[in-house]
Amino acid sequence: MRQFQFEYETDEKFFKQLEQIKKWRNTAVAAGTIFTIYTESLDMSRVQAVITRIKYVLPDAAYMGCSTNGNIYNGELSKKKIVIICTIFEYSTTNYELLQYNLDAQSVEHVTTELTNEINSNPWVKAVVIHTTIRGMSMSDFCDKMQNVRSDVQMFGGGALSEDLNDDNAFVFSSKGAISDHSIVIALIGGEDFNVYTTYITGWKPLGRMLNVTKADGSTLYELDGKPAYETYFKYLGIKNDENFFRNSLEFPFIYEHNGIDILRAPSASLPDGALAMTSDIEEGARARMAYGDPQTILSSVRVEFDKIAIFRPEAIAMFSCAARKFFWAMDADNETYPFNSIAPTSGFYTAGEFLRTGKYLNQHNVTLVIAAMREGYAPADIYEYDPGMLEFNGQVSMIKRLANFIKAATEELEEANRKLEVSAKSDWLTGLYNRSEIQNRITDAIENTNQYYDKNGVFKPVSVIMMDIDDFKKVNDTYGHAEGDQVLKELAKLLKIITLENADTICAGRWGGEEFMMLLPDKSAEEASEIAEQIRVRFAEIGYSEAANQTISLGVTQSKPNENPDETCRRSDDALYTAKRNGKNRVVVL
């Protein structure tokens, strides 16, 4: 595989460059030629002029390309509007095929079915290169439907964009179709001697607290924590809901787990109602955080992937990098791309979204650098040597990392404090069991929910409760003091915790007040609950105290009735407990 890269300057110069490629092909082994054309300009006439020259000089060559937010030329951000990459395959076993489809929400089913069949019916296919228009369209359905592609096939690519981030116009094109603003171009490449290695780099780290996606529909994110999603950007970053929202929010995407990996997801627009239009679906119920770019983490990841790709020994490297990364690095966008050009010719473009298959899933990424390294034949056996200094970071934005670490630590402390407050609000201060309010809420929920359900035979599923009271507890306090009385209460609480663990996770207990306790037993009949109550009675009587010796407990058991008010169930358990007390204490009564 040989690759030639050109920055388009003038038609005359490009014509001469094409003639040189033609001469080289005539003196070397050339099994096939593909041109990839990336343009920041939306002037289609300029693209058409490039295509016309290619057709004239090399009529047998294929071509594909798209509009971009910047072009990667020999590993660097090109200063020219158009970059042309010519890839020549030298092995006769290497095959390729270009495809182009119109793509919108209605055509996804047809496109993915036809594309999957085409790939799976051609065992030589090893790589699927994607260039597509995506602004204003969710690609989630497309990605999901590509799961049936053979597991050995790599898929990667990017979404077309324009020089102006606020301009939704973008297009793709190929030798199989016209220049189009609603299409997808696919290059199938493979063969027994063709090899490909793919990876991705993020380097963006979570920032701030966890946010819950409380309302979403497809690619529209309506609410986070019950509030309009846009408010998160305004509250924490001061980003206004105006025509510059997309550009200003790019560097602060959301990060959440999807298909087993962390995915970054950036909004493409903020809507008038405060909802966010995303470039891919985000599921309702997902938990996400905002993220920020950490240069040191990014370059550490670059170094790791650099070493892996160096071992692979590619002959060409394709990169698909989010436009947000270009803005993040500002004047130093080459920091993460240029080192790879020392391994092999490196080219690519800055995208509206990146695609990469991980496992069986094709994922759409945002704010991510996707890398595809390609080679024909075996990798050379010699060791690749490089200058480690090329991946050093000068620390110019280390303050950002320190501030982010400060925010992270403060957020973790606040979340821990909130967790403790939540537990405290539900717990009894002395025993650690649920307090009365919480155990009462749980009994109410269990009974009201159960009243809606019957088992498969139409039999009502009961909820049972046990109310218990330590016998003659006032004497313990009066005779031995409140410290000893507290110890008796704690030992009963400890026993109830053990009993709940021994029986079922759904059983729970709480302190009802003073020396009274309540236990909730979902899906337990009164008979089953009475057996557990008897265990509590016997085992509590066996506990010895340093001063109060042994104590006893009385218990009242009842089960809910169909359509019964929870208060009525609790009242019957109280009646059962009163009966146990009146009949001699230290016993279990069922009503």
Side-chain angles (χ1 to χ4, degrees):
M1 180 185 299
R2 286 290 300 271
Q3 191 173 93
F4 303 90
Q5 299 183 28
F6 311 106
E7 291 177 309
Y8 183 82
E9 296 179 15
T10 66
D11 188 58
E12 181 180 359
K13 184 175 182 179
F14 181 54
F15 180 79
K16 292 179 179 178
Q17 290 166 334
L18 289 174
E19 287 290 344
Q20 291 173 351
I21 291 174
K22 183 177 182 179
K23 291 178 182 178
W24 184 90
R25 288 202 323 171
N26 290 336
T27 60
V29 177
T33 304
I34 295 180
F35 283 88
T36 306
I37 306 162
Y38 295 132
T39 173
E40 283 189 79
S41 171
L42 293 178
D43 184 349
M44 295 184 185
S45 63
R46 296 187 64 187
V47 175
Q48 193 59 57
V50 172
I51 292 172
T52 300
R53 279 299 184 192
I54 292 173
K55 286 181 175 180
Y56 180 78
V57 179
L58 297 167
D60 62 324
Y63 62 84
M64 64 185 294
C66 64
S67 60
T68 77
N69 188 251
N71 308 317
I72 299 172
Y73 166 76
N74 288 326
E76 298 181 284
L77 175 61
S78 175
K79 295 180 174 59
K80 303 297 182 180
K81 297 295 184 183
I82 299 177
V83 165
I84 301 115
I85 302 101
C86 175
T87 303
I88 300 175
F89 300 111
E90 299 177 284
Y91 279 63
S92 60
T93 56
T94 300
N95 295 328
Y96 66 89
E97 179 182 359
L98 293 188
L99 304 168
Q100 183 168 337
Y101 304 96
N102 287 338
L103 187 67
D104 52 34
Q106 289 69 43
S107 64
V108 167
E109 181 76 34
H110 166 74
V111 171
T112 53
T113 298
E114 189 168 322
L115 184 54
T116 299
N117 290 337
E118 181 70 18
I119 296 169
N120 290 343
S121 63
N122 288 289
W124 56 266
V125 177
K126 291 185 178 178
V128 177
V129 187
I130 301 168
H131 291 164
T132 184
T133 53
I134 65 173
R135 292 293 293 275
M137 176 182 174
S138 168
M139 292 295 290
S140 294
D141 197 26
F142 176 87
C143 291
D144 290 343
K145 286 180 166 54
M146 292 298 288
Q147 290 183 32
N148 294 323
V149 170
R150 292 196 326 269
S151 60
D152 62 313
V153 176
Q154 301 295 311
M155 293 186 276
F156 51 89
L161 195 51
S162 66
E163 183 179 14
D164 181 359
L165 287 177
N166 296 313
D167 189 345
D168 283 345
N169 293 312
F171 56 76
V172 297
F173 54 89
S174 75
S175 47
K176 290 291 186 176
I179 298 174
S180 171
D181 60 2
H182 57 278
S183 291
I184 184 169
V185 172
I186 301 290
L188 308 180
I189 308 174
E192 60 183 271
D193 296 301
F194 179 81
N195 302 280
V196 60
Y197 170 84
T198 60
T199 188
Y200 71 102
I201 295 169
T202 58
W204 260 245
K205 301 175 70 174
L207 178 68
R209 66 183 183 86
M210 189 70 74
L211 302 165
N212 297 299
V213 179
T214 49
K215 185 178 179 181
D217 183 13
S219 60
T220 303
L221 174 58
Y222 288 99
E223 292 181 0
L224 291 167
D225 289 340
K227 298 179 181 179
Y230 156 73
E231 288 187 12
T232 300
Y233 281 94
F234 184 75
K235 178 179 180 180
Y236 294 108
L237 300 171
I239 296 176
K240 296 180 180 179
N241 190 355
D242 56 22
E243 67 277 6
N244 295 313
F245 175 82
F246 174 61
R247 180 174 188 143
N248 291 333
S249 64
L250 263 179
E251 295 178 44
F252 296 93
F254 295 110
I255 184 169
Y256 77 111
E257 185 177 331
H258 180 67
N259 289 337
I261 62 174
D262 284 339
I263 291 283
L264 294 172
R265 188 69 74 231
S268 60
S270 180
L271 306 179
D273 61 356
L276 298 177
M278 313 297 287
T279 55
S280 189
D281 293 358
I282 184 165
E283 299 86 0
E284 197 167 287
R287 304 186 74 218
R289 293 191 182 197
M290 298 192 80
Y292 77 100
D294 174 29
Q296 292 176 331
T297 301
I298 294 171
L299 292 189
S300 294
S301 300
V302 169
R303 178 61 181 268
V304 170
E305 298 307 327
F306 183 96
D307 290 340
K308 293 177 182 177
I309 291 174
I311 293 171
F312 178 76
R313 298 301 301 275
E315 294 172 307
I317 297 173
M319 288 189 165
F320 308 90
S321 183
C322 184
R325 301 181 79 90
K326 186 180 75 168
F327 289 111
F328 172 78
W329 286 110
M331 301 301 294
D332 299 314
D334 304 336
N335 277 351
E336 61 181 1
T337 59
Y338 182 67
F340 293 93
N341 199 65
S342 65
I343 303 174
T346 299
S347 61
F349 72 100
Y350 287 93
T351 77
E354 308 76 57
F355 298 91
L356 181 64
R357 190 181 202 182
T358 304
K360 71 175 183 178
Y361 300 106
L362 176 62
N363 291 305
Q364 180 186 345
H365 294 263
N366 291 134
V367 201
T368 299
L369 172 60
V370 166
I371 305 172
M374 294 167 282
R375 185 190 74 237
E376 288 182 292
Y378 293 102
D382 56 310
I383 303 298
Y384 179 81
E385 296 183 359
Y386 58 90
D387 176 13
M390 76 171 63
L391 292 175
E392 289 181 354
F393 175 62
N394 61 19
Q396 61 193 25
V397 289
S398 59
M399 183 180 67
I400 295 175
K401 183 177 181 181
R402 292 192 186 99
L403 288 174
N405 285 340
F406 172 80
I407 294 170
K408 179 176 180 290
T411 300
E412 289 174 348
E413 289 176 357
L414 180 60
E415 289 177 343
E416 177 63 16
N418 287 337
R419 188 191 67 78
K420 290 180 178 178
L421 283 173
E422 184 177 0
V423 171
S424 176
K426 297 179 179 180
S427 301
D428 174 61
W429 67 272
L430 178 65
T431 63
L433 296 175
Y434 290 127
N435 57 26
R436 176 161 182 166
S437 175
E438 182 62 20
I439 190 66
Q440 196 164 24
N441 287 338
R442 288 173 177 261
I443 291 172
T444 299
D445 290 344
I447 291 175
E448 290 181 347
N449 289 335
T450 301
N451 282 337
Q452 303 174 27
Y453 298 104
Y454 291 78
D455 67 18
K456 62 182 180 181
N457 298 316
V459 178
F460 174 70
K461 295 163 60 179
V463 168
S464 293
V465 295
I466 303 172
M467 181 175 279
M468 60 200 84
D469 181 272
I470 300 172
D471 297 328
D472 303 315
F473 184 70
K474 186 175 183 300
K475 291 182 180 180
V476 176
N477 281 334
D478 291 346
T479 304
Y480 306 108
H482 287 279
E484 186 73 352
D486 287 349
Q487 189 59 38
V488 174
L489 294 172
K490 290 178 182 178
E491 288 298 327
L492 174 56
K494 186 186 299 183
L495 172 61
L496 295 182
K497 292 175 183 177
I498 294 172
I499 292 290
T500 59
L501 290 173
E502 289 176 348
N503 287 274
D505 292 338
T506 54
I507 294 178
C508 60
R511 188 180 180 189
W512 200 249
E515 67 272 24
E516 285 188 333
F517 292 78
M518 183 73 86
M519 179 173 278
L520 167 66
L521 302 94
D523 298 328
K524 296 288 185 185
S525 65
E527 182 180 356
E528 292 171 315
S530 67
E531 293 175 359
I532 293 174
E534 183 63 19
Q535 291 180 39
I536 296 171
R537 186 192 69 80
V538 171
R539 292 166 69 171
F540 180 72
E542 294 173 348
I543 300 172
Y545 302 94
S546 60
E547 296 181 52
N550 298 83
Q551 299 296 314
T552 62
I553 190 171
S554 298
L555 306 96
V557 178
T558 193
Q559 76 175 42
S560 62
K561 298 177 181 180
N563 302 314
E564 182 177 55
N565 186 295
D567 290 339
E568 294 175 1
T569 306
C570 292
R571 190 178 304 115
R572 278 205 319 280
S573 68
D574 188 41
D575 291 343
L577 174 60
Y578 178 77
T579 301
K581 291 282 191 181
R582 190 177 57 196
N583 291 340
K585 305 175 183 177
N586 190 24
R587 65 190 63 232
V588 175
V589 172
V590 180
L591 285 180

